[in-house]
Amino acid sequence: MVTIRLRNTLTRTDEPLEPGPSGRIAMYSCGPTVYRYAHVGNLRTFLLPDLIRRTLLYHGIEVVHVQNITDVGHMRDERFDRGEDRMLVAAGLENKTPAQIADAYETAFHADEALVNILPAHVFPRATEHIPEMIELAERLVDAGYAYVSDHGNIYYAVASFPDYGRLSGNSLDELRAGHRGHVDHDKRDPADFALWKAAGEGRMLKWPTPRWGDGFPGWHLECSAMALRHLGPRFDIHTGGIDNVFPHHEDEIAQSAPLVGGPPARLWVHGAFLQVGGQKMAKSAGNIERVSDLSDRGIDPLAFRYLCLTSRYRHKLEYTAASLAAAAAGLESLRAGLRALGPPPVDGPWRAPVVIRAGRAPDRPVGTVEGLAGHGGSAGDPAASEQLSDRATSPAEPLSAAGRELHDRFVAAIDDDLDMPTALAVTREVLRAPLGEDERRWLILDADAVLGLDLDRVWESGPSAVAPGDVEALLADRTAARVAGDYGRADSIRADLAGRGWEIVDEPGRSTLRPINRR
């Protein structure tokens, strides 16, 4: 029996997540607008569907995941912001076409996701490739009386026509109208109405013809509804995004889809909280952003950022500081050191390594369904595929002791409890010092990593030629934290201390290892 529960923003309750008759879970995630690099705050949001997928796969449940790529830059909400098309602004600043901008930043996005082991979506639909679906959806809403064409050729959704408008965000129409104190498009019937399609002005680069309204371009919310309908059908299981997507983006998605599909398109709406710097949301406008690739350039393993995210529940704000990142880097290194000290797993027998869910990397610009990456159910004829989709949560493969099974079940209870990753991570660390045999401890940690996604099975790939004592490994973790915090004096001092103990530090991209100094 599946016991996974997630917080549903729509009902404000934790609800069970069970597959329907198909046996699959269908999930749609709001993806990046590819006019700039994604920063680590964005990646925390994109980590949410990854953790949902890994938890479902751990339960043996197949997942179909769609994440859009917004390469139409008109994503500002015209009710609050008169901002220009961001794709066009970026194209002008970089002296490139909008297509070149989209290609470059989408490629960077896929590379950044791979650095933190985020499982690529199965399908990455692009807004510019789904304009016909958007136009059709707008036409259906106009014909059904939920939208209207203004005197200036703009198509607006009439929010008063949808009685449930505001249910997701907790807003009322009166409150929304009262908030419109600034400029409101004069061709709207109601200040709270939102644009489905905008008429193109003279000289606009990004525009498309329509059968009924001339040239134009989509509004903010239309693309996600159209692409979810195209790739997942009228109703699906989960819609994810950041907390800033609740209103107006997801509220408007529900409004423009529900009248045509018989209710909210997704059963569960799951939202992640902000990554903060000094109590302020990480954002380009605040000047406090950092890319995950910047961590690699500073000699920090990007998976330290993933570890940091695991220390906080997705619905809680998370502070991103040099100190918090340093602590995460040290925690990751100490977990690796403890696992490494257990020695590599046997190649066969009851305690061989569990099947790994490897993220892989999506192509620069995926076409169709992304194939052949672990975590997608494997490919035909792949013996690991059936193992990946076995119910590892309820029926672990190995003969665990009573104490080992108790630790395993506590880990499962944590991940099933609305992705309580801090508890799951704490239980995993507890395994290291549990009174169990080395084989059982190693197996439990590697099995848990199918959900944690820290690539712990790779600690033996380029690790030390001999197992270092615990105090030596602890010093290496301290040095990692010092480097992350920029305390290079202490890092050098620890290096010298370790050399005096007979251990040399080998710095590699994103990680450091130890090897004994050969003294003759």
Side-chain angles (χ1 to χ4, degrees):
M1 177 179 177
V2 178
T3 57
I4 305 168
R5 300 180 70 84
L6 292 174
R7 171 60 58 133
N8 187 356
T9 305
L10 188 63
T11 62
R12 292 161 181 77
T13 61
D14 291 355
E15 297 187 14
L17 181 58
E18 297 181 354
S22 70
R24 296 179 170 185
I25 291 290
M27 177 166 59
Y28 185 93
S29 299
C30 285
T33 302
V34 287
Y35 74 105
R36 66 182 181 194
Y37 292 116
H39 54 69
V40 291
N42 302 137
L43 289 178
R44 190 198 184 198
T45 297
F46 302 144
L47 183 61
L48 171 57
D50 173 86
L51 294 173
I52 293 173
R53 278 180 64 187
R54 287 174 178 272
T55 298
L56 287 165
L57 288 169
Y58 193 74
H59 277 273
I61 300 171
E62 189 175 353
V63 183
V64 178
H65 184 205
V66 176
Q67 183 176 42
N68 71 294
I69 300 292
T70 297
D71 54 357
V72 177
H74 186 77
M75 286 285 288
R76 301 282 187 174
D77 180 10
E78 76 283 348
R79 291 175 293 191
F80 307 117
D81 196 319
R82 306 305 301 170
E84 303 95 333
D85 186 309
R86 292 180 282 183
M87 294 297 298
L88 294 178
V89 171
L93 291 174
E94 299 189 29
N95 195 28
K96 296 178 180 178
T97 67
Q100 289 172 326
I101 291 290
D103 288 355
Y105 289 114
E106 182 183 344
T107 296
F109 160 72
H110 294 305
D112 288 346
E113 279 209 320
L115 287 175
V116 290
N117 280 352
I118 291 177
L119 294 168
H122 295 90
V123 182
F124 289 99
R126 298 177 189 88
T128 55
E129 297 169 359
H130 292 75
I131 297 297
E133 288 88 347
M134 297 181 209
I135 295 172
E136 179 186 3
L137 183 56
E139 289 177 335
R140 291 175 65 189
L141 288 167
V142 170
D143 293 344
Y146 289 92
Y148 58 91
V149 183
S150 77
D151 294 339
H152 290 80
N154 299 315
I155 294 84
Y156 293 107
Y157 185 94
V159 294
S161 67
F162 185 59
D164 279 347
Y165 193 79
R167 179 185 169 200
L168 182 72
S169 60
N171 290 311
S172 70
L173 273 179
D174 288 341
E175 291 170 335
L176 293 173
R177 290 170 181 139
H180 288 280
R181 297 187 177 89
H183 176 87
V184 177
D185 286 346
H186 53 79
D187 58 339
K188 286 184 179 182
R189 297 176 183 172
D190 187 319
D193 293 347
F194 62 90
L196 298 175
W197 190 264
K198 300 281 282 188
E202 184 177 352
R204 181 182 173 84
M205 186 182 302
L206 287 176
K207 61 182 179 181
W208 292 266
T210 66
R212 294 159 58 173
W213 310 310
D215 290 350
F217 55 94
W220 183 359
H221 321 289
L222 192 64
E223 64 169 284
C224 284
S225 290
M227 289 190 285
L229 182 62
R230 159 76 182 278
H231 295 282
L232 294 177
R235 309 295 287 274
F236 51 96
D237 298 293
I238 311 172
H239 197 315
T240 74
I243 194 69
D244 52 337
N245 289 143
V246 173
F247 184 84
H249 187 44
H250 289 170
E251 189 78 76
D252 292 355
E253 274 191 62
I254 292 174
Q256 65 198 5
S257 297
L260 304 179
V261 303
R267 181 163 56 90
L268 273 69
W269 296 76
V270 186
H271 297 93
F274 293 137
L275 187 72
Q276 296 190 144
V277 179
Q280 186 177 18
K281 173 190 173 185
M282 179 175 283
K284 185 177 180 181
S285 59
N288 58 6
I289 65 171
E290 182 167 34
R291 287 189 64 199
V292 70
S293 60
D294 295 336
L295 302 183
S296 297
D297 293 342
R298 293 198 279 128
I300 303 168
D301 189 336
L303 290 179
F305 173 71
R306 184 181 179 101
Y307 187 100
L308 174 62
C309 291
L310 295 175
T311 65
S312 175
R313 299 191 74 153
Y314 74 90
R315 290 194 288 117
H316 298 170
K317 295 174 182 178
L318 174 61
E319 278 292 328
Y320 182 79
T321 64
S324 66
L325 187 60
L332 175 59
E333 187 57 45
S334 68
L335 181 57
R336 287 171 171 166
L339 180 61
R340 190 183 298 122
L342 297 175
V347 295
D348 53 24
W351 298 113
R352 68 191 185 281
V355 174
V356 173
I357 297 179
R358 189 80 72 204
R361 185 200 187 287
D364 289 350
R365 281 179 57 79
V367 176
T369 301
V370 178
E371 299 285 358
L373 296 175
H376 291 195
S379 55
D382 179 3
S386 60
E387 290 188 70
Q388 278 184 307
L389 290 180
S390 65
D391 186 353
R392 299 162 66 163
T394 304
S395 303
E398 304 314 323
L400 298 176
S401 65
R405 184 58 191 253
E406 190 265 341
L407 287 164
H408 168 84
D409 290 351
R410 283 170 54 201
F411 175 85
V412 174
I415 63 175
D416 287 359
D417 181 17
D418 194 27
L419 307 179
D420 184 1
M421 292 302 160
T423 298
L425 186 59
V427 171
T428 304
R429 298 191 66 89
E430 186 179 336
V431 171
L432 280 176
R433 56 185 184 275
L436 304 171
E438 291 183 351
D439 284 338
E440 187 168 10
R441 282 185 285 156
R442 181 198 310 110
W443 188 91
L444 283 166
I445 292 168
L446 293 178
D447 184 64
D449 197 45
V451 178
L452 301 179
L454 296 171
D455 273 359
L456 296 178
D457 65 296
R458 288 180 161 165
V459 299
W460 299 284
E461 288 184 3
S462 57
S465 56
V467 176
D471 59 337
V472 170
E473 291 280 12
L475 281 172
L476 179 64
D478 288 345
R479 178 181 178 270
T480 299
R483 294 181 74 204
V484 172
D487 189 353
Y488 299 108
R490 172 158 175 72
D492 290 342
S493 175
I494 293 174
R495 177 188 283 276
D497 186 359
L498 287 171
R501 298 174 185 230
W503 293 92
E504 178 185 9
I505 296 175
V506 181
D507 288 323
E508 301 169 343
R511 64 176 297 187
S512 299
T513 58
L514 290 163
R515 66 185 177 200
I517 298 173
N518 186 13
R519 301 185 188 276
R520 293 185 178 180

